[in-house]
Structures are given as C-alpha cells and as structure tokens.
C-alpha cells in the first residue's frame, strides 16, 4: 500500500548516540538511523543541531580538521540516501567566505540539496554561539561550493515534494524561541512540515515549556513540527542534554522520545497532509498570515515504499479524552450549564420542561437543568420533568426516570400517551397493529406536543435532549423529539455523553443517584416506541438497527474534524476496530451513516439553538452549512468500491 494515496507522509525524528567531536562515530550512528528509518518506510529523517560534530565542541569548531571530517561525512551520508531512498537533515558547521555557520543540511538521493544556516544565534547565559558562528543575517551568498557542486544556501529555502503536496521548512533551535520565528514565514509560504534541529539543554521544568512551545508552533503554523534534540552524549561540563525529541501535528504532540537515554532513539510517524491542508483551508487566519519573505523552492525527488503498517495514533473513541478526562468532563458540563443558564436569564423565566425517559440523553439533559438552576439560585421545583409512558415503555426505564427526578428534588409529572395516540390513529385512519414509521413517529410527536403545551402552562421553555450523534444520523422524528426551545446536548456525541454521565455517577456524593445513573448507563439505547418483549424488557434496540454508536462517532469525528474521504476513514476504522468488527460489517455501517447523514440534513437545517461543546458541531448557523438536497452519490460510490 502506498500511504500517500491517503494523504500520509512518513517522517522520522532521531536522537542519535553522540561523542563530542568524534565525527566518524556520529556519522556511523546517523547512517544506521537512516537505514532504520528506511526500513520503516520513512521518507524524511531529522537529526539534532550540529549532529555530525556534536553541539558542544566549543573552540574545536575553529579546527579545520573537524570541519574537513564533517564534509567527508556529508559524502558518506549522501551515498546512503541514494541506497535507501530516505532523505536526511543533519546538523553541521559549514564555512564560507571567511564565516562559519551553524547549518542544517538536506541530503537526498545521493545529493546535498540545500544548506540552511541558523538565523537567531543563542548567546545568553550558558550559550556562546556568536563566538564561533555567523547568523543567516550575515549571509552574503545564495550558494555554497561543496567540491564541484554549487549548493543553495540560506534560510530562504523550502524543499518541495510536489507529488505529495509537501513543503519542508527548516529552522534551528533558538529560531523557534524568537519573537517572530522563521517558521511563521515558511508556513505562510506553504511549508506544512517544519523541521527543527535543536540542542536544548535540560533544566528543571523546561521539559513542559519545550513541549508547549513545539505544540503551539505546530498549531500556529497549521502544520507538523519535527523537533530533534541533542542527547546526553553531549559534553556535561556545564549543561546536561536529555535528547527530548518530538513530533507535533497541528497543536498535538503525537510522539516523543524518552529523555536521558544514552542509546539511539528513533520515532516514526505518518503526518496527515490532508488534515493539515484542510485545517488551512478552513481557517481564514492562515490566508492572511503571509509575511514579506520570498522563498526559493528546491524540488526533492522521492521513492515511496509499499507498507502494510500505518504509524498513526488511531483512537477508536476519538471524542473521549485519554488524559485529564475528569477535568474535560467537568468542562463539558460547565459549558452546557452556562449555555442553558444564559438562555433562562435572557428569557427571564423560572421554569423549564423536559421529557425524561430513563435513557442516557434525557438523563444528562436533566442533570444539566439541575446544574443551571443551582447556578442561577432558582428553585429546582421549576424543573418540570414529565414521563410519558407509551407502547414501548419498560419498567426499568420508567423506574429510573422517576427515581432520578425524586432524588434531584424536582417536579415530576406522568402523562401517558397511549390513549391519545390511539385516538390519533383513529383520526388519521391508521391501523395500530401496523407498527411502521407512522406508529413510531406519532408517539414522538405526541410527546413533543405535550411538552410544548405544558411549557406554555408554566411559562417555561422545553429543553431538548437529542445529541450530536442523533443529529448526524437524523435519528429523530421531525417536529417530534427533533424540536425543542433549547437543545443542551446538541454538541455532544453519544460516546462522550455516556462518559459524562459516568463521570457524574462517580463524582456524585449521593450514592443513590450514582446507582441510578450507573443503571441508566447499562440500559440498552432505545426510543422505546415498539412494545417490549414477553419479559417486559426492551425489544427495540437502536444499535441493532443502526450499528454501534462508537463506529458512527468514529466516522463523524473524522468527517467533521478532518473532512476525510470515506475510504480514508474506513482505512483507519479497520485498524481502530481490528478484532472487534469485520470489514464487511464496517462497510455496511459506513453506507448507512453516509446515506442518513445526507438524507437527514433537513432536520439539522431546522434544529433549535444549542451550545457547541467541542471543536465540532452540526448547527446550520455554525460549523455545518449543507443544503438539504445535497446528494451522497460520490461518497457512497467510494464506499462501494472499497
């Protein structure tokens, strides 16, 4: 498989074992890392600042012997890139016209393609770079002679692999920490891969700062940032170097090395060029961020390798955080609570009406109502929870709804709908034994009518309970549960919603409330519109008809956040759910998702207000503006061809 077909570009970042001023040893280590990178299918390898000589040579940089050995090493490494088809960027002291520069050297396909000098020399505290090196700002030539070759020279160089839509920019260590890093201009000129050859020393608390700076620069550039740092083999006369190398992608650290290891370290990742391109297209600030800097574009040839592996962090539940999740869930609740509280304040009402079923969605919505009333110091008796048992209501869900309302000390009212729906069937001439869409939707619309009219009685608003996953699939009855006066769950996908309720259960001081919430979590997801089985258990299970919500949320995440094609999402899903779902199963659920996503847009076009929670949403007034009559033909065709 050629991963470039899916917009992926494989890179490697290394922290090689180093000996100070031992160019031959350092070269051998780099050559071996080029081989390892090639074996893993990497197109590009980045090594640390002055990696051929080592960073801490001091006045040895003035020694002609050291510099001549470095030039010999460039030839050896060039030969290796010809053999392996992996480009490598090495750090080297390069002299020209009586000046010595701290440089990054791009080597590919047997050639030195370009040399980039450091712009901002570090000359504070423990650093003395200006003692040995000149800056890019002192440069007077655009080319350097290496043997018989004239090599492009300057910080105004970008390297391009046009076939992959890849542009590579290079900055060196302190460049990143400058007020206006060179990488900002590179990104404005189209560079989506920024490489940094660094010699960042280690001090208390610097590690997190370094990570934050790298992460933020990748976000500001809407790009990937490959950061390679010198390891502990450097001189420890005054400083210690930890070898903290990283790969960041658009604001996220996706891989990093172990610190303080004396062994060679190599991290390999696939950079998602499609994702970066989409991020730039969707953000106007990128389009207006161009700096007045002209760049020379150096074309780079590449030979992509076939691979069965994908070096991506593929998460089967991408909406659910893996770190500091409790803080994340608290913030979800705070956003929901504040959104509803603001709406209540604006209207000036002291009552809300909510239909509760004992299911997940209405449970979280009810908890948010209670939280909003507490925030506004309102009497929780102004929360009017209504249970509306119908043909499919079970004792378990009904009981949980009643228990929760009682434990939260809110108003609870039961209004059965069976008689009114049967009368409605009689009025419209529908046979109640025909359990079709009319049978189901009539119940949903009857419930909404009750909620709306009761809200008029108490001078309140109806709080909607439907979630983001249901909005995506159109799993709601138009002008039924699709409608409310404020939808508190509109920005939360089903998989996240479940974990937020679980968090509430674990953090709740009242153990009775916790017990009810945990039982609701374990209850099968169902609209309960069809009669229960002979044992009184839920017979109509949503995921039996639609497929697992975790799969639909996986598709939804990569559609909303990254705008990937169905084929690319399927490739990721096969790996994310390997051993759990088969390819044909996934394919059927993909077809169902895309069919419903397009055909049900009309429901989203008429959806009520509801706060956006994460970096995603389906509001027609916000993140997703799609005509209701758009066709899914080309998306479904791609799925058929998988």
């Amino acid at each position: 498989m050629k991963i470039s077909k899916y917009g992926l570009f494989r890179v490697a970042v290394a922290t090689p074992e180093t000996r100070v001023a031992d160019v031959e040893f350092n070269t051998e280590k780099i050559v071996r890392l080029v081989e390892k990178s090639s074996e893993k299918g990497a197109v590009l390898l980045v090594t640390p600042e002055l990696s051929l000589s080592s960073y801490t040579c001091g006045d040895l940089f003035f020694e002609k012997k050291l510099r001549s050995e470095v030039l010999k090493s460039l030839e050896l490494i060039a030969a290796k890139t010809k053999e392996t088809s992996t480009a490598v960027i090495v750090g080297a002291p390069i002299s020209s016209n009586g000046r010595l520069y701290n440089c990054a050297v791009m080597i590919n396909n047997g050639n030195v393609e370009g040399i980039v000098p450091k712009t901002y020399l570090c000359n504070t505290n423990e650093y003395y770079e200006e003692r040995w090196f000149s800056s890019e700002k002192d440069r007077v030539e655009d080319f350097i002679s290496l043997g018989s070759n004239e090599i492009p020279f300057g910080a105004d160089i970008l390297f391009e692999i046009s076939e992959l839509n890849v542009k590579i920019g290079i900055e060196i260590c302190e460049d990143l920490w400058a007020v206006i890093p060179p990488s900002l201009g590179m990104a404005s000129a189209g560079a989506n891969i920024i490489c940094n050859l660094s010699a960042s020393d280690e001090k208390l608390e610097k590690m997190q700062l370094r990570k934050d700076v790298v992460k933020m620069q990748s976000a500001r550039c809407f790009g990937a940032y490959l950061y390679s740092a010198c390891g502990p083999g450097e001189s420890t006369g005054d400083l210690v170097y930890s070898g903290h190398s990283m790969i960041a992608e658009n604001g996220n650290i996706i891989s990093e090395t172990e610190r303080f290891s004396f062994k060679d370290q190599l991290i390999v990742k696939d950079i998602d060029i499609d994702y970066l391109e989409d991020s730039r297209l969707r953000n106007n600030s990128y389009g207006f961020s161009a700096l007045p800097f002209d760049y020379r574009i150096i074309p780079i040839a590449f030979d992509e390798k076939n691979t069965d592996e994908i070096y991506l962090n593929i998460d089967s539940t991408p909406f659910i955080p893996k770190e500091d999740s409790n803080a994340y869930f608290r913030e979800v609740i705070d956003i929901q609570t504040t959104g509803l509280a603001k709406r209540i304040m604006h209207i000036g009402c002291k009552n809300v009406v909510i239909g509760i079923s004992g299911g997940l969605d209405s449970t979280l919505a009810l908890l948010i109502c209670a939280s909003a009333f507490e925030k506004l110091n309102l009497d929780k008796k102004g929360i009017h929870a209504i249970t509306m048992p119908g043909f499919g209501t079970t004792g378990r869900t009904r009981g949980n709804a009643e228990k929760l309302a009682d434990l939260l000390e809110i108003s609870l009212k039961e209004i059965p709908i069976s008689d009114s729906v049967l009368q409605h069937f009689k009025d419209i001439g529908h046979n109640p034994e025909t359990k079709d869409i009319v049978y189901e939707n009539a119940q949903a619309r009857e419930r909404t009518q009750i909620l709306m009219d009761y809200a008029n009685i108490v001078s309140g608003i109806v709080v909607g309970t439907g979630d983001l996953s249901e909005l995506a699939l159109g799993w709601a009855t138009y002008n039924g549960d699709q409608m409310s006066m404020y939808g508190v769950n509109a920005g939360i996908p089903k998989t996240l919603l479940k974990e937020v309720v679980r968090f509430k259960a674990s953090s709740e001081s009242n153990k009775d409330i916790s017990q009810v919430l945990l039982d609701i979590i374990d209850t099968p997801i169902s609209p309960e519109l069809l009669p229960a089985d002979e044992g009184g258990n839920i017979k109509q299970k949503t995921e039996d008809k639609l497929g697992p919500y975790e799969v639909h949320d996986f598709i939804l995440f990569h559609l909303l956040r990254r705008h990937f094609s169905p084929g690319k999402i399927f490739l990721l899903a096969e790996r994310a759910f390997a051993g759990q779902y088969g390819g044909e199963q996934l394919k059927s659920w993909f077809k169902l998702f895309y069919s419903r996503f397009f055909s049900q847009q009309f429901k989203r076009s008429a959806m009520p207000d509801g706060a956006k929670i994460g970096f995603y949403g389906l509001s027609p007034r916000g993140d997703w503006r799609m005509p209701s009559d758009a066709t899914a033909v080309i998306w479904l065709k791609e799925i058929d061809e998988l």
Side-chain angles (χ1 to χ4, degrees):
M1 175 181 65
K2 302 283 191 182
I3 62 171
S4 63
K5 174 184 176 183
Y6 298 98
L8 303 177
F9 178 65
R10 185 160 299 172
V11 300
V13 173
T15 296
E17 184 183 354
T18 302
R19 291 180 185 170
V20 179
D22 191 341
V23 178
E24 182 177 354
F25 178 86
N26 298 339
T27 301
E28 288 175 357
K29 289 295 182 178
I30 291 172
V31 165
R32 180 60 189 135
L33 287 166
V34 171
E35 292 171 343
K36 286 185 177 180
S37 300
S38 178
E39 290 167 6
K40 291 181 176 291
V43 177
L44 175 67
L45 168 66
V46 184
T47 67
E49 185 174 7
L50 295 167
S51 52
L52 290 180
S53 59
S54 78
Y55 179 76
T56 51
C57 286
D59 283 356
L60 292 177
F61 286 123
F62 292 136
E63 292 293 312
K64 186 174 182 179
K65 178 62 177 175
L66 180 75
R67 300 197 304 275
S68 64
E69 288 299 314
V70 165
L71 295 179
K72 291 179 185 177
S73 292
L74 294 178
E75 295 180 8
L76 291 172
I77 294 170
K80 181 56 65 173
T81 63
K82 180 76 170 178
E83 176 186 324
T84 60
S85 299
T86 294
V88 59
I89 303 174
V90 298
I94 302 290
S95 60
S96 176
N97 286 335
R99 292 183 174 89
L100 184 62
Y101 297 92
N102 178 346
C103 295
V105 183
M106 168 68 84
I107 308 172
N108 181 57
N109 198 31
N111 302 306
V112 174
E113 304 281 7
I115 299 175
V116 177
K118 189 172 184 175
T119 299
Y120 295 97
L121 300 178
C122 194
N123 212 64
T124 56
N125 299 325
E126 59 267 29
Y127 291 101
Y128 301 95
E129 288 186 24
E130 289 184 8
R131 178 180 176 91
W132 309 295
F133 300 111
S134 294
S135 163
E136 150 71 15
K137 296 177 181 180
D138 302 318
R139 175 177 63 86
V140 295
E141 59 276 277
D142 289 334
F143 293 87
I144 278 184
S145 297
L146 287 184
S148 60
N149 298 315
E150 289 292 302
I151 309 299
F153 176 60
D156 61 340
I157 292 173
L158 297 179
F159 302 94
E160 181 177 44
I161 305 176
S162 58
E163 303 96 315
L164 302 183
N165 194 27
V166 167
K167 278 187 180 176
I168 302 165
I170 301 173
E171 58 187 6
I172 302 175
C173 200
E174 185 70 9
D175 293 345
L176 170 61
W177 300 80
V179 174
I180 303 178
S183 51
L184 294 181
M186 298 171 190
S188 296
N192 44 21
I193 306 286
I194 305 295
C195 304
N196 187 306
L197 289 69
S198 179
S200 181
D201 62 318
E202 205 59 69
K203 291 191 284 282
L204 290 175
E205 299 183 338
K206 187 175 181 180
M207 183 270 286
Q208 188 58 51
L209 175 61
R210 185 190 302 117
K211 285 182 68 171
D212 290 344
V213 170
V214 169
K215 181 167 63 173
M216 183 53 63
Q217 193 63 4
S218 73
R220 293 178 72 189
C221 292
F222 299 98
Y225 203 94
L226 316 184
Y227 184 92
S228 177
C230 295
E234 293 285 349
S235 171
T236 56
D238 290 299
L239 303 170
V240 170
Y241 299 84
S242 69
H244 185 203
S245 297
M246 293 168 273
I247 300 176
E249 184 184 59
N250 201 17
N252 294 293
I253 301 293
I254 59 175
S255 188
E256 59 187 308
T257 57
E258 175 189 348
R259 293 190 300 156
F260 306 115
S261 173
F262 286 99
K263 298 179 180 179
D264 292 335
Q265 293 203 73
L266 182 72
I267 49 178
V268 179
K269 280 292 175 182
D270 291 326
I271 301 300
D272 200 320
I273 302 299
D274 284 350
Y275 169 47
L276 301 180
E277 180 72 7
D278 178 71
S279 298
R280 291 180 173 186
L281 289 173
R282 289 166 56 82
N283 197 300
N284 286 344
S285 64
Y286 174 77
F288 290 103
S289 63
L291 298 177
F293 207 125
D294 294 326
Y295 287 86
R296 290 176 282 165
I297 307 298
I298 308 298
I300 297 291
F302 88 108
D303 181 16
E304 187 180 9
K305 305 164 185 66
N306 279 310
T307 180
D308 292 325
E309 295 181 275
I310 294 180
Y311 294 107
L312 293 173
N313 299 335
I314 306 174
D315 185 354
S316 63
T317 54
F319 284 118
I320 301 173
K322 302 302 176 286
E323 296 180 1
D324 202 14
S325 58
N326 285 351
Y328 187 92
F329 298 146
R330 285 191 196 95
E331 189 169 16
V332 168
I333 292 168
D334 286 344
I335 295 172
Q336 287 183 281
T337 299
T338 303
L340 179 58
K342 165 60 181 175
R343 183 54 54 95
I344 292 171
M345 288 173 61
H346 175 72
I347 296 171
C349 71
K350 296 181 180 179
N351 295 277
V352 297
V353 176
I354 178 172
I356 60 172
S357 65
L360 270 174
D361 291 350
S362 63
T363 294
L364 180 58
L366 182 61
L367 293 170
I368 297 304
C369 287
S371 179
F373 269 59
E374 290 171 1
K375 189 178 185 73
L376 296 172
N377 294 315
L378 295 175
D379 185 351
K380 285 196 290 185
K381 289 300 181 181
I383 302 172
H384 301 269
I386 301 179
T387 62
M388 294 166 282
F391 305 130
T393 303
T394 61
R396 180 180 184 182
T397 54
R398 182 176 177 176
N400 280 334
E402 292 171 349
K403 288 177 190 175
L404 187 60
D406 181 59
L407 289 166
L408 292 174
E409 299 179 341
I410 64 174
S411 300
L412 176 66
K413 189 176 185 65
E414 179 183 299
I415 304 177
I417 65 168
S418 296
D419 289 346
S420 57
V421 172
L422 287 173
Q423 178 62 47
H424 180 60
F425 288 158
K426 183 178 179 181
D427 292 341
I428 65 174
H430 181 73
N431 183 353
E433 297 303 316
T434 305
K435 296 176 175 57
D436 56 5
I437 191 170
V438 177
Y439 182 90
E440 295 189 28
N441 285 352
Q443 296 175 69
R445 292 193 177 101
E446 178 63 22
R447 286 176 171 138
T448 298
Q449 176 178 249
I450 289 170
L451 294 173
M452 292 287 183
D453 292 344
Y454 198 84
N456 291 155
I457 291 174
V458 300
S459 298
I461 62 171
V462 176
V463 175
T465 63
D467 62 51
L468 185 69
S469 304
E470 293 177 343
L471 284 168
L473 292 163
W475 195 246
T477 299
Y478 190 78
N479 206 32
D481 52 317
Q482 169 258 357
M483 186 49 61
S484 68
M485 295 168 183
Y486 194 80
V488 293
N489 292 336
I492 308 181
K494 188 79 75 177
T495 49
L496 175 59
L497 190 149
K498 186 174 185 178
E499 295 309 311
V500 172
V501 175
R502 194 186 306 279
F503 164 72
K504 287 290 289 183
S506 66
S507 59
E508 177 59 58
S509 58
N510 187 321
K511 299 305 177 186
D512 291 333
I513 292 179
S514 296
Q515 186 175 353
V516 173
L517 294 180
L518 290 173
D519 192 59
I520 289 172
I521 290 170
D522 290 336
T523 303
I525 298 169
S526 171
E528 291 192 308
L529 297 172
L530 297 179
D533 64 17
E534 294 178 356
N537 299 311
I538 293 173
K539 184 177 180 181
Q540 183 187 19
K541 298 178 181 179
T542 300
E543 291 181 301
D544 288 348
K545 183 175 181 64
L546 290 180
Y549 269 113
E550 63 180 346
V551 174
H552 291 304
D553 280 1
F554 184 89
I555 301 170
L556 181 63
F557 176 87
H558 291 287
L559 172 65
L560 289 185
R561 289 284 279 135
R562 306 200 168 186
H563 288 263
F564 288 166
S565 68
K568 185 167 181 176
I569 302 175
F570 187 81
L571 177 79
L572 302 179
E574 280 190 308
R575 285 152 177 79
F577 298 106
Q580 189 175 356
Y581 305 121
E584 288 303 313
Q585 277 183 309
L586 288 172
K587 186 174 178 180
S588 67
W589 295 328
F590 266 65
K591 290 189 72 171
L592 184 146
F593 177 90
Y594 279 93
S595 295
R596 293 192 65 93
F597 186 82
F598 276 80
S599 67
Q600 302 294 298
Q601 173 63 29
F602 74 99
K603 295 177 183 176
R604 298 190 291 270
S605 295
M607 65 182 278
D609 289 351
K612 176 180 175 179
I613 303 298
F615 289 97
Y616 40 79
L618 285 171
S619 168
R621 300 167 294 276
D623 291 272
W624 194 260
R625 306 181 189 195
M626 183 177 94
S628 297
D629 47 9
T631 176
V633 169
I634 61 175
W635 286 267
L636 293 174
K637 182 179 180 181
E638 182 170 329
I639 295 170
D640 285 334
E641 294 172 351
L642 289 173

